[in-house]
């Protein structure tokens, strides 16, 4: 009977584990990346970004448009000024219809719009029973801002950065999910370990109580020890009830986070196999700056701030050119419409130069410059915060790995000591208090081991989240 308690511990733990379904940490993370609300949100946000970029790219491709008004009928009275200055209202019944095609193209280099058009118009006067046609077989038109801000050119630089940022953000969110699931996973493991310990302790106390009751007739124990054991049994049952409740709550959070159905019978596999990582701080920082969406966002926001300053400066004056050249003709019948077409030319230059605006446009320019400076400060601060976080984690990871080895050794020693204390207690060489101390040390050592694993794995997934680089496989994380 000298190893009774030890065998009891092992039998309870294995019976508890193998009687129920078990899922690994990577398995739960894979489920979360596929089913969790956070993963679906991340995928949808990336899709929106890609569709926006597709819409943006289409603006730089030729646009073909068919337009017109068929018909535009009117029957009303209209005012006609007479030679003596009076107004006379006359009836009219007319229709004006027009159709046309337009081929347009944004000009990236200048920010203008170049278009090639053709259109046809027909006018009907039903009161006079007459009709006429007007045709522009072909004409080319240019709408061009002069000495102004070329927003197209800046958008061409910024929008691809948004897509890259969205792609990296999706990967980042997947790693963030992995970190969160790791946290939930070990909360369940800790709660299940506490519950297993409580169940084993209940059985241990019952076995010890039986031993002590057999010693009462021999006079080698007292009623006080029996009462002490009964009190310990009640406390152990209370701890078991609380631990069972904690398991249910922790499992519910894990199931919700992973987007899977809640199962209170689930037992998690303890991830004892630790990856052999070699993490260099400079490498970690290098990949973080290359892959993290925040660093892309820093560059994008800086470029946007610079764009806004130039836009505000250009807004002090605006000059727009509109010019067209083509052929035009009018006729009373359609057959003659395209005979002897005439040259058509149009030119317009519009400008807006403020004389007195009480400093409004200059204030807008200074505001844009101040925002640019503030953006630079915020980027520097956020970048430094990320660098400090990565540096701290890299320096801590080796310590966390060492803690696991220490906790494992402590657990083994505590289990051996408890087994030896149990043997010595049965032989009457140690008292109940000393046995209880050995048991508490074993329980705490088991829990400390789980907590050491938790700290390491949380750090492991946080490192992947912070750098988006897999230091185990030595490759960039893409999902």
């Amino acid at each position: 009977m000298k190893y009774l308690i030890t065998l009891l511990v092992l039998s309870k733990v294995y019976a508890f584990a193998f009687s129920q379904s078990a899922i690994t940490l990577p398995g739960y993370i894979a489920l979360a990346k596929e089913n969790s609300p956070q993963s679906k949100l991340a995928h949808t946000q990336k899709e929106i970004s890609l569709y926006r970029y597709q819409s943006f790219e289409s603006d730089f491709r030729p646009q073909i448009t068919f337009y017109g008004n068929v018909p535009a009928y009117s029957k009303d009275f209209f005012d006609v000024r007479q030679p003596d200055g009076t107004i006379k209202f006359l009836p009219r019944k007319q229709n004006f219809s027009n159709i046309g095609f337009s081929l347009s193209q944004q000009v990236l280099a200048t920010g203008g719009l170049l278009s090639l058009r053709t259109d046809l118009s027909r006018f009907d006067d039903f009161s006079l029973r007459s009709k006429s046609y007007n045709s522009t077989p072909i004409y080319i038109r240019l709408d061009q801002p002069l000495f102004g801000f070329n927003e197209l050119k800046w958008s061409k630089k910024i929008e691809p950065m948004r897509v890259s940022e969205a792609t990296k953000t999706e990967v980042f969110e997947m790693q963030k999910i992995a970190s969160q699931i790791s946290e939930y996973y070990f909360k369940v493991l800790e709660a299940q370990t506490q519950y297993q310990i409580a169940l084993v302790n209940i059985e241990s106390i019952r076995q010890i109580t039986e031993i002590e009751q057999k010693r009462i007739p021999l006079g080698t124990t007292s009623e006080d020890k029996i009462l002490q054991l009964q009190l310990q049994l009640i406390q152990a049952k209370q701890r078991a009830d609380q631990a069972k409740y904690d398991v249910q709550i922790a499992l519910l959070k894990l199931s919700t986070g992973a987007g899977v159905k809640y199962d209170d019978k689930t037992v998690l596999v303890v991830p004892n196999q630790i990856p052999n990582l070699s993490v260099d701080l400079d490498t970690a920082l290098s990949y973080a700056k290359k892959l993290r969406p925040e660093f892309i966002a820093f560059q994008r926001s800086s470029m946007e701030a610079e764009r806004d300053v130039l836009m505000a400066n250009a807004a002090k004056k605006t000059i727009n050119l509109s010019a067209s050249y083509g052929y035009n003709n009018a006729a009373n019948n359609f057959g003659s419409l395209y005979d002897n077409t005439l040259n058509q030319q149009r030119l317009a230059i519009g400008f807006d130069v403020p004389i007195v605006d009480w400093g409004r446009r200059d204030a807008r320019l200074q505001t844009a410059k101040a925002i640019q400076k503030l953006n630079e400060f915020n980027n520097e601060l956020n970048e430094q915060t990320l660098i400090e976080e990565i540096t701290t984690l890299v320096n801590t990871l080796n310590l966390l790995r060492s803690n696991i080895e220490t906790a494992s050794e402590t657990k083994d020693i505590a289990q051996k000591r408890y087994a030896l204390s149990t043997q010595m207690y049965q032989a009457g060489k140690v008292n109940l208090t000393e046995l209880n101390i050995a048991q508490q040390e074993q329980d705490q050592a088991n829990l400390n081991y789980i907590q050491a694993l938790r700290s390491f794995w949380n750090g492991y997934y946080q490192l992947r989240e912070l750098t988006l680089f897999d230091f185990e496989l030595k490759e960039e994380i893409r999902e």
Side-chain angles (χ1 to χ4, degrees), residues 198-455:
L199 292 179
V200 170
N201 286 344
I202 289 173
E203 294 300 321
S204 299
I205 294 171
R206 286 175 177 169
Q207 292 291 335
I208 294 171
T209 302
E210 292 179 4
I211 293 173
E212 291 296 323
Q213 287 176 340
K214 292 178 180 179
R215 289 178 177 178
I216 290 179
L218 302 176
T220 57
T221 190
S222 64
E223 190 68 27
D224 178 67
K225 288 185 179 181
I226 300 298
L227 294 174
Q228 180 183 352
L229 288 169
Q230 290 176 351
L231 180 60
Q232 290 179 0
L233 182 61
I234 294 174
Q235 294 172 343
K237 289 180 179 179
Q238 289 177 333
R239 287 192 293 270
D241 292 339
Q242 180 63 47
K244 184 177 181 180
Y245 171 79
D246 293 340
V247 169
Q248 293 173 344
I249 297 301
L251 269 175
L252 179 60
K253 288 185 178 181
L254 177 60
S255 301
T256 303
V260 297
K261 185 178 180 181
Y262 170 74
D263 182 6
D264 60 356
K265 302 299 183 182
T266 301
V267 173
L268 309 183
V269 177
V270 179
N272 294 303
Q273 298 297 323
I274 305 301
N276 186 17
L277 298 180
S278 177
V279 183
D280 177 70
L281 178 58
D282 292 337
T283 302
L285 293 175
S286 174
Y287 279 107
K289 291 180 179 181
K290 176 184 175 182
L291 303 176
R292 277 286 293 244
E294 289 90 343
F295 288 95
I296 300 176
F298 296 158
Q299 300 174 24
R300 175 185 53 78
S301 62
S302 296
M303 191 172 293
E304 288 175 337
E306 183 181 356
R307 175 203 62 187
D308 293 342
V309 171
L310 294 176
M311 185 186 299
N313 187 49
K316 287 186 174 182
K317 60 182 183 298
T318 57
I319 303 176
N320 293 305
L321 168 69
S322 178
S324 65
Y325 178 85
Y327 295 92
N328 181 242
N329 198 12
N332 291 328
N333 59 79
F334 186 80
S336 303
L337 189 60
Y338 293 94
D339 296 335
N340 302 317
T341 56
L342 302 177
N343 182 280
Q344 179 195 68
Q345 301 176 26
R346 293 176 182 173
L347 176 66
I349 297 179
F351 59 89
D352 179 6
V353 180
I355 303 300
V356 178
D357 67 353
W358 308 105
R360 180 175 66 251
R361 300 192 188 192
D362 187 64
R364 290 174 179 172
L365 174 59
Q366 297 305 320
T367 300
K369 289 182 177 180
I371 292 175
Q372 182 183 26
K373 187 182 296 184
L374 178 63
N375 182 75
E376 291 176 358
F377 293 154
N378 282 332
N379 285 350
E380 289 177 3
L381 179 60
N382 292 333
E383 181 176 347
Q384 187 61 39
T385 301
L386 282 173
I387 291 174
E388 290 178 359
E389 191 173 358
I390 294 170
T391 302
T392 301
L393 182 57
V394 170
N395 293 333
T396 304
L397 210 55
N398 290 331
L399 177 61
L400 295 177
R401 184 182 182 89
S402 176
N403 288 345
I404 293 176
E405 296 175 357
T406 302
S408 179
E409 292 176 2
T410 304
K411 177 171 66 72
D412 293 340
I413 293 173
Q415 290 176 349
K416 292 178 180 178
R417 180 173 183 270
Y418 179 63
L420 181 60
S421 296
T422 301
Q423 181 181 0
M424 295 176 67
Y425 169 76
Q426 294 169 356
K429 296 181 179 180
V430 298
N431 56 34
L432 183 58
T433 300
E434 293 172 326
L435 179 61
N436 287 337
I437 292 174
Q439 182 180 7
Q440 292 171 5
E441 290 177 347
Q442 175 186 250
D443 295 345
Q444 189 60 49
N446 288 332
L447 187 59
N448 288 345
Y449 176 69
I450 296 297
Q451 291 173 342
L453 287 173
R454 171 183 178 176
S455 297

Side-chain angles (χ1 to χ4, degrees), residues 445-476:
N446 288 332
L447 187 59
N448 288 345
Y449 176 69
I450 296 297
Q451 291 173 342
L453 287 173
R454 171 183 178 176
S455 297
F456 176 83
W457 283 108
N458 287 350
Y460 170 81
Y461 285 108
Q462 286 173 9
L463 180 64
R464 291 167 60 92
E465 177 186 339
L466 289 173
T467 62
L468 299 188
F469 187 76
D470 190 330
F471 285 89
E472 188 175 7
L473 300 178
K474 305 296 182 183
E475 63 184 19
E476 176 183 342

